[in-house]
């Protein structure tokens, strides 16, 4: 069961946060249609904030609108997973090519996200949200806004496959923390080759955790 936020949020924000967490936890290989009336009841709001949340999620790529059927969450196939991870590898490895220009504060921020992840190991959705923030920040340090925007377009699919990865097998969250630390350590030492190796190792183990090969 998804817990409602304990902080005071507006109705649209409450619906948005609930829906994003719900979608992230859906089986990646199954398609799902979302019913506004059911969502309003589940989020303890009404249809208007649910519609606002759905519009926001559509703009972010989490859902698609299908005429006469409503909000649709598409499946993510094994080939989709492989393609997403390959795209991530290209962008993330490019982003660290300018490692000599990366300032210590940026590396410290990445370390801070790892520390937050360590505290969120019992909350898969939050853990993967922080995981996405970690990789997004790393890409932004590359200084190319076009690639950063492209990377952001993968966000919803990264959340869904990431939550699956950390919940599918025991110990994956701890493994992710170690892999992220290896990336940061390589960045800290200003070693591009080691950073590329750490990124590939992390993405390869993510693929195996999700699809088994």
């Amino acid at each position: 069961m998804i817990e409602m936020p304990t902080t005071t949020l507006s109705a649209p924000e409450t619906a948005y946060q609930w829906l994003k967490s719900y979608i992230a936890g859906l089986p990646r290989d199954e398609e799902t249609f979302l019913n506004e009336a059911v969502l309003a009841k589940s989020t303890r709001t009404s249809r208007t904030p649910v519609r606002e949340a759905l519009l926001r999620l559509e703009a972010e790529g989490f859902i698609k609108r299908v005429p006469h059927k409503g909000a649709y969450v598409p499946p993510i196939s094994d080939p989709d997973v492989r393609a997403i991870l390959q795209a991530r590898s290209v962008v993330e490895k490019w982003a660290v090519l300018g490692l000599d220009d990366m300032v210590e504060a940026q590396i410290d921020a990445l370390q801070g996200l790892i520390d937050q992840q360590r505290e969120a190991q019992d909350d898969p959705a939050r853990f993967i949200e922080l995981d996405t923030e970690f990789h997004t920040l790393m890409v932004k340090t590359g200084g190319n806004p076009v690639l950063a925007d492209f990377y952001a377009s993968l966000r919803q699919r990264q959340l869904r496959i990431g939550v699956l990865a950390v919940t599918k097998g025991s110990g994956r969250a701890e493994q992710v923390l170690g892999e992220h630390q290896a990336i940061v350590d390589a960045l800290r030492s200003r070693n591009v080759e080691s950073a590329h190796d750490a990124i590939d190792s992390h993405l390869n183990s993510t693929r195996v955790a999700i699809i088994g090969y």
Side-chain angles (χ1 to χ4, degrees):
M1 178 180 178
I2 298 175
E3 295 291 335
M4 297 301 294
T6 55
T7 54
T8 302
L9 300 174
S10 66
E13 184 65 23
T14 295
Y16 170 79
Q17 294 294 342
W18 189 95
L19 276 163
K20 187 170 68 171
S21 179
Y22 174 73
I23 292 170
L26 290 172
R28 66 167 177 88
D29 55 349
E30 297 179 12
E31 63 180 17
T32 304
F33 280 94
L34 304 176
N35 181 281
E36 287 186 4
V38 173
L39 293 175
K41 183 176 180 180
S42 297
T43 59
R44 302 176 198 167
T45 60
S46 65
R47 287 197 178 194
T48 298
V50 165
R51 288 193 191 105
E52 290 183 34
L54 290 172
L55 286 171
R56 184 174 168 186
L57 290 164
E58 181 182 20
E60 295 176 352
F62 281 81
I63 64 170
K64 297 179 180 179
R65 291 283 185 170
V66 177
H68 311 299
K69 289 189 176 182
Y72 171 68
V73 183
I76 302 174
S77 66
D78 286 1
D80 288 336
V81 171
R82 295 180 67 88
I84 291 165
L85 294 176
Q86 286 168 358
R88 285 183 55 186
S89 176
V90 171
V91 176
E92 292 181 25
K93 288 165 73 174
W94 174 87
V96 301
L97 285 175
L99 186 52
D100 288 340
D101 296 323
M102 191 178 293
V103 298
E104 285 295 320
Q106 292 173 316
I107 300 174
D108 290 342
L110 291 169
Q111 183 65 58
L113 289 170
I114 295 175
D115 296 340
Q116 290 182 59
Q117 273 193 293
R118 186 168 287 106
E119 299 298 320
Q121 290 185 71
D122 294 331
D123 183 350
R126 177 59 179 158
F127 185 90
I128 295 303
E129 186 77 40
L130 289 164
D131 183 284
T132 303
E133 288 183 30
F134 176 89
H135 290 280
T136 298
L137 178 57
M138 184 169 65
V139 169
K140 285 181 177 179
T141 64
N144 186 318
V146 175
L147 282 179
D149 285 347
F150 166 72
Y151 194 84
S153 73
L154 302 175
R155 181 168 175 261
Q156 65 89 7
R157 286 173 288 181
Q158 291 184 57
L159 282 173
R160 284 180 68 193
I161 66 178
V163 169
L164 174 66
V166 298
T167 57
K168 192 173 182 180
S170 60
R172 177 56 189 162
E174 192 64 38
Q175 187 179 12
V176 167
L177 290 171
E179 292 163 359
H180 281 185
Q181 191 64 59
I183 293 172
V184 168
D185 290 345
L187 298 178
R188 188 85 70 184
S189 66
R190 310 290 171 168
N191 190 317
V192 172
E193 184 177 355
S194 292
H196 282 184
D197 288 344
I199 290 168
D200 278 339
S201 177
H202 175 49
L203 296 178
N204 287 338
S205 65
T206 298
R207 185 194 68 246
V208 172
I210 297 167
I211 62 179
Y213 60 91

